[in-house]
Amino acid sequence: MRPYVVIIDDDEKITSLLRRSLVFEGYKAATAPNGREGLKLLAEREADLIILDVMMPELDGWEVLRRLREAGVATPVLMLTAKDEVSDRVRGLDLGADDYLVKPFALEEFLARVRALLRRRPERREDGLLRFEDLAMDVEAREVYRGGRRLELTAKEFELLHLFLQNPKRVLSRDFIMDRVWGYDYSGESNVLEVYVAMLRQKLEEGGGKRLIHTVRGAGYILRGDP
């Protein structure tokens, strides 16, 4: 499978140039104009590499990186910044960035760093599936199976389960889930997450399947295979 790279930067000229360059090199690439949209994009599909600008509207690169690492997302991150200051580089590395590139930069150096970071990433399954115990998700086909039985999920149920499968055995806070699946500016029903977790559990556990999505009181939810 071709590596999938997500570029999060509010400079349309830069994102367009980087995306074209990556596609020309044989990668798949997608772009987002700010941190909020970037998190939504990453919630839809797991990336192999994230290119993350520091200064952006909505959510800046520091906050996006902090949220990703707090959620246990280990995808390599290449930070882009217009300032060549040691304090900025140290801050990015302390938050969990894997590399740092100062604008303006040579395209050849950018591509070399992309290749280096992609060599470090964990190998994906050749079948392209996300798996946990007897649960399997084909992200591109948007199909979910448990024990060979296909589950009919709504779009939001699929996004919610996808987030859990990207972060197995990790506690995800309610706020983080709401940010990733509904967007941080969601103003609908306050109990929407609880309702969707209940509906998703019902579909996952139909036919006697054991519980996989557990409530961690006062902390959030976790995907784990307790008996």
Side-chain angles (χ1 to χ4, degrees), residues 100-117:
Y100 207 93
L101 197 55
V102 178
K103 300 176 182 178
F105 48 80
L107 195 56
E108 293 79 3
E109 181 181 4
F110 167 77
L111 292 172
R113 296 194 184 212
V114 166
R115 290 191 294 270
L117 288 172

Side-chain angles (χ1 to χ4, degrees), residues 7-8 32 51 61 70 95 123 132 134-135 144 155 157 165 201 205 208 211-212 214-215 218 221:
I7 307 163
I8 307 174
I51 310 298
E70 281 189 354
L95 284 171
E123 289 298 320
F132 186 82
D134 61 345
L135 186 63
V144 177
E157 289 169 347
L165 284 168
R201 280 173 173 165
E205 296 167 18
R211 177 151 296 184
L212 295 178
H214 299 265
T215 302
Y221 297 94

